[in-house]
C-alpha cells in the first residue's frame, strides 16, 4: 500500500503549491455557488489539496484559500438566489435537486433563521441549497455573512488540518513502517466516521426541533408551508 499511496501523494504534491491552492479555493467556490457540491463534495477537495501541504506557510495559505472560496461561493449563491432564484429552482438542474429539498431548505431557514445558515455548512445537500434559498428570502446579506463566516472558518480548519496531518504523518513513517499507509487511511476513515456521526446527530437534533415547532398551536404544518412556498415560486416564475 505504501508504494501506491506514496505515488498518489507525490502526484498531488507535484502540482505547483500556488496553483494547487488556487484550484482548491476555486473548487470550494463552485461547490457552494452553483450546486456543484451536490456532485463533488467540498470535503473531498479540501482534504485532497491538504495532502500536498509541505510546510506551515502552505497550510495557512490553503486554509485562507478554502475560507475565501467558501465565502465567495456562498456570496455568489446568495446573489443568484436574490436575482434568479425562482428561475434556477424551476430549471432542469433545480428540478433534479428535487422540490422536497428546496422546500426543506426554505422551511428550515424560515424556522431557524441565522442558525440554519451556520448549521447547514455541516449538513449534506442543505449546504449547497441554503445560500440560494437565503437569497430568495428576506434575510439581508450582512446577517447571512454574520452566520456563515464562522461556519466556513471552522469547516476549513477542520478539513485542511486532517488532510495535512494524515499526509504529514504518513511521510514521516513511510520509510520505517511498512504499514504506514494504513495509518494514513485510518486517520481519514476515523475523521470521516466522526463527521458522519456528527452529521447524523446534528440532523436528528434539528429534525426534532423542527417537529416541536410544527406541533405548536398556530404553527402551519410543513406540508401547508411547502404548498404555499411552491405556489409563490410558481407565481414568480410565471
Amino acid at each position: 500500500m505504501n508504494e501506491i499511496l506514496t505515488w498518489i501523494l507525490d502526484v498531488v504534491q507535484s502540482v505547483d503549491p500556488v496553483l494547487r491552492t488556487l484550484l482548491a479555493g476555486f473548487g470550494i467556490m463552485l461547490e457552494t455557488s452553483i450546486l456543484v457540491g451536490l456532485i463533488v463534495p467540498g470535503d473531498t477537495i479540501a482534504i485532497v489539496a491538504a495532502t500536498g501541504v509541505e510546510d506551515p506557510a502552505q497550510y495557512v495559505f490553503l486554509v485562507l484559500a478554502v475560507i475565501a472560496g467558501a465565502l465567495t461561493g456562498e456570496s455568489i449563491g446568495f446573489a443568484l438566489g436574490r436575482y434568479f432564484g425562482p428561475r434556477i429552482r424551476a430549471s432542469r438542474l433545480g428540478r433534479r435537486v428535487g422540490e422536497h429539498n428546496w422546500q426543506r431548505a426554505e422551511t428550515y431557514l424560515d424556522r431557524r433563521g441565522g442558525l440554519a445558515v451556520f448549521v447547514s455548512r455541516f449538513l449534506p445537500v442543505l449546504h449547497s441549497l441554503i445560500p440560494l434559498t437565503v437569497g430568495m428570502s428576506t434575510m439581508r446579506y450582512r446577517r447571512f455573512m454574520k452566520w456563515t463566516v464562522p461556519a466556513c472558518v471552522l469547516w476549513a480548519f477542520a478539513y485542511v488540518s486532517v488532510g495535512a496531518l494524515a499526509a504529514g504523518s504518513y511521510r514521516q513513517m513511510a520509510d520505517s513502517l511498512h504499514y504506514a499507509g494504513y495509518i494514513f487511511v485510518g486517520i481519514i476513515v476515523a475523521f470521516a466516521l466522526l463527521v458522519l456521526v456528527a452529521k447524523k446527530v446534528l440532523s436528528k437534533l434539528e429534525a426534532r426541533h423542527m417537529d416541536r415547532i410544527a406541533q405548536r398551536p398556530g404553527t402551519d404544518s410543513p406540508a401547508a408551508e411547502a404548498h404555499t412556498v411552491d405556489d409563490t415560486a410558481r407565481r414568480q416564475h410565471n
Side-chain angles (χ1 to χ4, degrees):
M1 174 180 281
N2 282 17
E3 291 78 10
I4 297 175
L5 185 56
T6 297
W7 179 79
I8 294 174
L9 294 180
D10 285 346
V11 169
V12 176
Q13 202 170 62
S14 66
V15 178
D16 180 77
V18 176
L19 177 61
R20 184 173 64 237
T21 301
L22 291 176
L23 287 175
F26 183 71
I28 298 298
M29 181 193 73
L30 293 179
E31 186 224 11
T32 52
S33 60
I34 55 175
L35 306 178
V36 174
L38 299 175
I39 303 172
V40 182
D43 310 8
T44 303
I45 297 174
I47 288 180
V48 171
T51 61
V53 169
E54 299 180 77
D55 53 57
Q58 289 186 18
Y59 169 82
V60 171
F61 282 117
L62 181 58
V63 169
L64 292 176
V66 170
I67 293 173
L71 293 178
T72 301
E74 299 213 350
S75 297
I76 294 174
F78 178 94
L80 290 174
R82 183 71 77 192
Y83 297 106
F84 308 105
R87 294 182 182 180
I88 294 174
R89 182 170 176 169
S91 68
R92 184 176 180 180
L93 178 59
R95 291 195 299 272
R96 291 191 65 179
V97 170
E99 184 61 25
H100 65 286
N101 283 320
W102 287 106
Q103 293 173 358
R104 177 188 173 204
E106 285 186 327
T107 302
Y108 186 45
L109 180 64
D110 180 60
R111 293 181 176 174
R112 294 296 264 167
L115 186 61
V117 176
F118 180 91
V119 174
S120 67
R121 175 70 254 184
F122 307 96
L123 296 179
V125 181
L126 281 177
H127 78 271
S128 292
L129 291 180
I130 283 293
L132 286 164
T133 304
V134 173
M136 290 187 282
S137 73
T138 58
M139 182 181 291
R140 300 182 64 179
Y141 178 72
R142 181 179 297 180
R143 186 182 178 206
F144 172 63
M145 293 303 290
K146 176 182 177 181
W147 284 96
T148 199
V149 167
C152 289
V153 170
L154 180 61
W155 182 89
F157 269 106
Y159 281 90
V160 173
S161 295
V162 168
L165 174 64
S169 300
Y170 168 76
R171 291 189 180 96
Q172 290 180 353
M173 297 181 293
D175 294 334
S176 57
L177 294 176
H178 69 278
Y179 56 83
Y182 294 102
I183 295 177
F184 172 89
V185 173
I187 293 175
I188 299 297
V189 171
F191 179 71
L193 290 175
L194 178 63
V195 169
L196 179 62
V197 171
K199 287 182 177 180
K200 290 287 186 182
V201 172
L202 192 56
S203 295
K204 287 184 178 181
L205 290 175
E206 290 301 294
R208 289 178 184 174
H209 180 83
M210 295 282 285
D211 289 341
R212 285 197 298 269
I213 293 179
Q215 292 169 3
R216 292 176 184 174
T219 303
D220 293 336
S221 67
E225 288 191 2
H227 181 71
T228 301
V229 168
D230 190 36
D231 287 344
T232 302
R234 192 178 294 111
R235 286 196 300 269
Q236 292 176 342
H237 176 64
N238 294 333

